[in-house]
PDB file of all heavy atoms in Angstrom:
ATOM      1  N   ILE B 910      33.306  52.773  13.780  1.00 96.00           N
ATOM      2  CA  ILE B 910      33.306  54.180  13.357  1.00 96.00           C
ATOM      3  C   ILE B 910      34.717  54.767  13.461  1.00 96.00           C
ATOM      4  O   ILE B 910      35.210  55.413  12.526  1.00 96.00           O
ATOM      5  CB  ILE B 910      32.300  54.998  14.206  1.00 96.00           C
ATOM      6  CG1 ILE B 910      30.876  54.591  13.820  1.00 96.00           C
ATOM      7  CG2 ILE B 910      32.518  56.505  14.023  1.00 96.00           C
ATOM      8  CD1 ILE B 910      29.798  55.119  14.749  1.00 96.00           C
ATOM      9  N   ALA B 911      35.373  54.488  14.579  1.00 96.00           N
ATOM     10  CA  ALA B 911      36.729  55.023  14.775  1.00 96.00           C
ATOM     11  C   ALA B 911      37.690  54.481  13.719  1.00 96.00           C
ATOM     12  O   ALA B 911      38.545  55.203  13.188  1.00 96.00           O
ATOM     13  CB  ALA B 911      37.227  54.667  16.174  1.00 96.00           C
ATOM     14  N   ARG B 912      37.534  53.205  13.386  1.00 96.00           N
ATOM     15  CA  ARG B 912      38.401  52.585  12.385  1.00 96.00           C
ATOM     16  C   ARG B 912      38.212  53.245  11.013  1.00 96.00           C
ATOM     17  O   ARG B 912      39.186  53.598  10.334  1.00 96.00           O
ATOM     18  CB  ARG B 912      38.077  51.095  12.308  1.00 96.00           C
ATOM     19  CG  ARG B 912      38.772  50.320  11.215  1.00 96.00           C
ATOM     20  CD  ARG B 912      38.439  48.836  11.349  1.00 96.00           C
ATOM     21  NE  ARG B 912      38.526  48.126  10.106  1.00 96.00           N
ATOM     22  CZ  ARG B 912      37.595  48.148   9.152  1.00 96.00           C
ATOM     23  NH1 ARG B 912      36.502  48.879   9.293  1.00 96.00           N
ATOM     24  NH2 ARG B 912      37.756  47.444   8.041  1.00 96.00           N
ATOM     25  N   LEU B 913      36.969  53.447  10.610  1.00 96.00           N
ATOM     26  CA  LEU B 913      36.714  54.057   9.296  1.00 96.00           C
ATOM     27  C   LEU B 913      37.222  55.500   9.260  1.00 96.00           C
ATOM     28  O   LEU B 913      37.816  55.931   8.278  1.00 96.00           O
ATOM     29  CB  LEU B 913      35.213  54.007   8.965  1.00 96.00           C
ATOM     30  CG  LEU B 913      34.676  52.603   8.638  1.00 96.00           C
ATOM     31  CD1 LEU B 913      33.152  52.623   8.543  1.00 96.00           C
ATOM     32  CD2 LEU B 913      35.271  52.092   7.315  1.00 96.00           C
ATOM     33  N   ARG B 914      36.993  56.218  10.346  1.00 95.00           N
ATOM     34  CA  ARG B 914      37.467  57.613  10.376  1.00 95.00           C
ATOM     35  C   ARG B 914      38.990  57.691  10.326  1.00 95.00           C
ATOM     36  O   ARG B 914      39.563  58.610   9.743  1.00 95.00           O
ATOM     37  CB  ARG B 914      36.991  58.321  11.649  1.00 95.00           C
ATOM     38  CG  ARG B 914      35.537  58.714  11.613  1.00 95.00           C
ATOM     39  CD  ARG B 914      35.199  59.531  12.857  1.00 95.00           C
ATOM     40  NE  ARG B 914      35.899  60.799  12.843  1.00 95.00           N
ATOM     41  CZ  ARG B 914      35.458  61.890  12.236  1.00 95.00           C
ATOM     42  NH1 ARG B 914      34.320  61.857  11.582  1.00 95.00           N
ATOM     43  NH2 ARG B 914      36.140  63.017  12.272  1.00 95.00           N
ATOM     44  N   SER B 915      39.637  56.712  10.961  1.00 95.00           N
ATOM     45  CA  SER B 915      41.104  56.765  11.052  1.00 95.00           C
ATOM     46  C   SER B 915      41.755  56.659   9.671  1.00 95.00           C
ATOM     47  O   SER B 915      42.901  57.069   9.483  1.00 95.00           O
ATOM     48  CB  SER B 915      41.621  55.640  11.953  1.00 95.00           C
ATOM     49  OG  SER B 915      41.634  54.398  11.259  1.00 95.00           O
ATOM     50  N   LEU B 916      41.012  56.123   8.689  1.00 95.00           N
ATOM     51  CA  LEU B 916      41.609  55.916   7.357  1.00 95.00           C
ATOM     52  C   LEU B 916      41.821  57.231   6.598  1.00 95.00           C
ATOM     53  O   LEU B 916      42.354  57.242   5.490  1.00 95.00           O
ATOM     54  CB  LEU B 916      40.743  54.958   6.532  1.00 95.00           C
ATOM     55  CG  LEU B 916      40.643  53.535   7.105  1.00 95.00           C
ATOM     56  CD1 LEU B 916      39.693  52.690   6.274  1.00 95.00           C
ATOM     57  CD2 LEU B 916      42.017  52.874   7.154  1.00 95.00           C
ATOM     58  N   GLN B 917      41.418  58.345   7.204  1.00 91.00           N
ATOM     59  CA  GLN B 917      41.763  59.647   6.625  1.00 91.00           C
ATOM     60  C   GLN B 917      43.268  59.874   6.638  1.00 91.00           C
ATOM     61  O   GLN B 917      43.785  60.620   5.816  1.00 91.00           O
ATOM     62  CB  GLN B 917      41.121  60.773   7.445  1.00 91.00           C
ATOM     63  CG  GLN B 917      39.613  60.791   7.373  1.00 91.00           C
ATOM     64  CD  GLN B 917      39.018  61.948   8.163  1.00 91.00           C
ATOM     65  OE1 GLN B 917      39.575  63.020   8.171  1.00 91.00           O
ATOM     66  NE2 GLN B 917      37.905  61.709   8.812  1.00 91.00           N
ATOM     67  N   ASP B 918      43.941  59.267   7.614  1.00 93.00           N
ATOM     68  CA  ASP B 918      45.381  59.513   7.783  1.00 93.00           C
ATOM     69  C   ASP B 918      46.205  58.418   7.140  1.00 93.00           C
ATOM     70  O   ASP B 918      45.961  57.231   7.339  1.00 93.00           O
ATOM     71  CB  ASP B 918      45.731  59.558   9.276  1.00 93.00           C
ATOM     72  CG  ASP B 918      45.063  60.739   9.939  1.00 93.00           C
ATOM     73  OD1 ASP B 918      44.962  61.787   9.293  1.00 93.00           O
ATOM     74  OD2 ASP B 918      44.625  60.580  11.103  1.00 93.00           O
ATOM     75  N   LYS B 919      47.226  58.844   6.428  1.00 95.00           N
ATOM     76  CA  LYS B 919      48.099  57.887   5.756  1.00 95.00           C
ATOM     77  C   LYS B 919      48.683  56.872   6.748  1.00 95.00           C
ATOM     78  O   LYS B 919      48.752  55.679   6.455  1.00 95.00           O
ATOM     79  CB  LYS B 919      49.223  58.647   5.047  1.00 95.00           C
ATOM     80  CG  LYS B 919      50.116  57.714   4.258  1.00 95.00           C
ATOM     81  CD  LYS B 919      51.138  58.410   3.402  1.00 95.00           C
ATOM     82  CE  LYS B 919      51.928  57.347   2.640  1.00 95.00           C
ATOM     83  NZ  LYS B 919      53.052  57.908   1.899  1.00 95.00           N
ATOM     84  N   LYS B 920      49.091  57.355   7.902  1.00 97.00           N
ATOM     85  CA  LYS B 920      49.695  56.493   8.925  1.00 97.00           C
ATOM     86  C   LYS B 920      48.758  55.324   9.272  1.00 97.00           C
ATOM     87  O   LYS B 920      49.178  54.168   9.309  1.00 97.00           O
ATOM     88  CB  LYS B 920      49.953  57.351  10.174  1.00 97.00           C
ATOM     89  CG  LYS B 920      50.724  56.718  11.277  1.00 97.00           C
ATOM     90  CD  LYS B 920      50.919  57.710  12.435  1.00 97.00           C
ATOM     91  CE  LYS B 920      49.573  58.088  13.073  1.00 97.00           C
ATOM     92  NZ  LYS B 920      49.701  58.977  14.234  1.00 97.00           N
ATOM     93  N   HIS B 921      47.492  55.640   9.479  1.00 97.00           N
ATOM     94  CA  HIS B 921      46.537  54.584   9.819  1.00 97.00           C
ATOM     95  C   HIS B 921      46.221  53.709   8.615  1.00 97.00           C
ATOM     96  O   HIS B 921      46.004  52.507   8.755  1.00 97.00           O
ATOM     97  CB  HIS B 921      45.259  55.191  10.404  1.00 97.00           C
ATOM     98  CG  HIS B 921      45.468  55.817  11.749  1.00 97.00           C
ATOM     99  ND1 HIS B 921      45.306  57.159  11.983  1.00 97.00           N
ATOM    100  CD2 HIS B 921      45.881  55.281  12.923  1.00 97.00           C
ATOM    101  CE1 HIS B 921      45.582  57.418  13.247  1.00 97.00           C
ATOM    102  NE2 HIS B 921      45.948  56.307  13.835  1.00 97.00           N
ATOM    103  N   ARG B 922      46.175  54.317   7.425  1.00 97.00           N
ATOM    104  CA  ARG B 922      45.953  53.504   6.219  1.00 97.00           C
ATOM    105  C   ARG B 922      47.056  52.462   6.088  1.00 97.00           C
ATOM    106  O   ARG B 922      46.800  51.290   5.813  1.00 97.00           O
ATOM    107  CB  ARG B 922      45.954  54.395   4.968  1.00 97.00           C
ATOM    108  CG  ARG B 922      44.732  55.267   4.821  1.00 97.00           C
ATOM    109  CD  ARG B 922      44.552  55.763   3.379  1.00 97.00           C
ATOM    110  NE  ARG B 922      45.603  56.647   2.903  1.00 97.00           N
ATOM    111  CZ  ARG B 922      45.603  57.971   3.050  1.00 97.00           C
ATOM    112  NH1 ARG B 922      44.610  58.560   3.707  1.00 97.00           N
ATOM    113  NH2 ARG B 922      46.567  58.714   2.563  1.00 97.00           N
ATOM    114  N   GLU B 923      48.295  52.902   6.301  1.00 97.00           N
ATOM    115  CA  GLU B 923      49.421  51.962   6.153  1.00 97.00           C
ATOM    116  C   GLU B 923      49.366  50.895   7.238  1.00 97.00           C
ATOM    117  O   GLU B 923      49.639  49.721   6.984  1.00 97.00           O
ATOM    118  CB  GLU B 923      50.746  52.730   6.225  1.00 97.00           C
ATOM    119  CG  GLU B 923      50.972  53.674   5.042  1.00 97.00           C
ATOM    120  CD  GLU B 923      51.017  52.953   3.703  1.00 97.00           C
ATOM    121  OE1 GLU B 923      51.473  51.804   3.650  1.00 97.00           O
ATOM    122  OE2 GLU B 923      50.571  53.561   2.696  1.00 97.00           O
ATOM    123  N   ALA B 924      49.011  51.295   8.471  1.00 97.00           N
ATOM    124  CA  ALA B 924      48.973  50.332   9.575  1.00 97.00           C
ATOM    125  C   ALA B 924      47.912  49.261   9.320  1.00 97.00           C
ATOM    126  O   ALA B 924      48.128  48.079   9.592  1.00 97.00           O
ATOM    127  CB  ALA B 924      48.702  51.051  10.889  1.00 97.00           C
ATOM    128  N   LEU B 925      46.770  49.678   8.765  1.00 97.00           N
ATOM    129  CA  LEU B 925      45.672  48.730   8.543  1.00 97.00           C
ATOM    130  C   LEU B 925      45.722  48.103   7.153  1.00 97.00           C
ATOM    131  O   LEU B 925      45.017  47.138   6.882  1.00 97.00           O
ATOM    132  CB  LEU B 925      44.331  49.438   8.745  1.00 97.00           C
ATOM    133  CG  LEU B 925      44.046  49.941  10.172  1.00 97.00           C
ATOM    134  CD1 LEU B 925      42.793  50.816  10.207  1.00 97.00           C
ATOM    135  CD2 LEU B 925      43.883  48.758  11.129  1.00 97.00           C
ATOM    136  N   GLY B 926      46.526  48.687   6.269  1.00 98.00           N
ATOM    137  CA  GLY B 926      46.602  48.164   4.898  1.00 98.00           C
ATOM    138  C   GLY B 926      45.320  48.409   4.124  1.00 98.00           C
ATOM    139  O   GLY B 926      44.970  47.647   3.218  1.00 98.00           O
ATOM    140  N   LEU B 927      44.613  49.488   4.492  1.00 98.00           N
ATOM    141  CA  LEU B 927      43.316  49.777   3.877  1.00 98.00           C
ATOM    142  C   LEU B 927      43.241  51.237   3.457  1.00 98.00           C
ATOM    143  O   LEU B 927      43.901  52.091   4.044  1.00 98.00           O
ATOM    144  CB  LEU B 927      42.185  49.508   4.883  1.00 98.00           C
ATOM    145  CG  LEU B 927      42.039  48.078   5.409  1.00 98.00           C
ATOM    146  CD1 LEU B 927      40.996  48.041   6.525  1.00 98.00           C
ATOM    147  CD2 LEU B 927      41.658  47.126   4.280  1.00 98.00           C
ATOM    148  N   PHE B 928      42.422  51.526   2.442  1.00 98.00           N
ATOM    149  CA  PHE B 928      42.157  52.915   2.079  1.00 98.00           C
ATOM    150  C   PHE B 928      40.656  53.071   1.886  1.00 98.00           C
ATOM    151  O   PHE B 928      39.921  52.075   1.824  1.00 98.00           O
ATOM    152  CB  PHE B 928      42.904  53.304   0.790  1.00 98.00           C
ATOM    153  CG  PHE B 928      42.372  52.628  -0.435  1.00 98.00           C
ATOM    154  CD1 PHE B 928      41.420  53.239  -1.244  1.00 98.00           C
ATOM    155  CD2 PHE B 928      42.801  51.352  -0.783  1.00 98.00           C
ATOM    156  CE1 PHE B 928      40.910  52.604  -2.376  1.00 98.00           C
ATOM    157  CE2 PHE B 928      42.293  50.711  -1.908  1.00 98.00           C
ATOM    158  CZ  PHE B 928      41.362  51.335  -2.705  1.00 98.00           C
ATOM    159  N   VAL B 929      40.214  54.316   1.794  1.00 97.00           N
ATOM    160  CA  VAL B 929      38.782  54.560   1.697  1.00 97.00           C
ATOM    161  C   VAL B 929      38.496  55.588   0.604  1.00 97.00           C
ATOM    162  O   VAL B 929      39.298  56.496   0.371  1.00 97.00           O
ATOM    163  CB  VAL B 929      38.247  55.029   3.077  1.00 97.00           C
ATOM    164  CG1 VAL B 929      38.800  56.382   3.463  1.00 97.00           C
ATOM    165  CG2 VAL B 929      36.738  55.049   3.120  1.00 97.00           C
TER     166      VAL B 929
END
Side-chain angles (χ1 to χ4, degrees):
Chain B
I910 289 169
R912 173 175 154 281
L913 289 171
R914 284 186 66 86
S915 78
L916 296 176
Q917 294 182 38
D918 295 324
K919 184 173 182 187
K920 188 179 64 177
H921 292 116
R922 288 199 295 272
E923 293 299 328
L925 295 171
L927 299 172
F928 69 94
V929 67

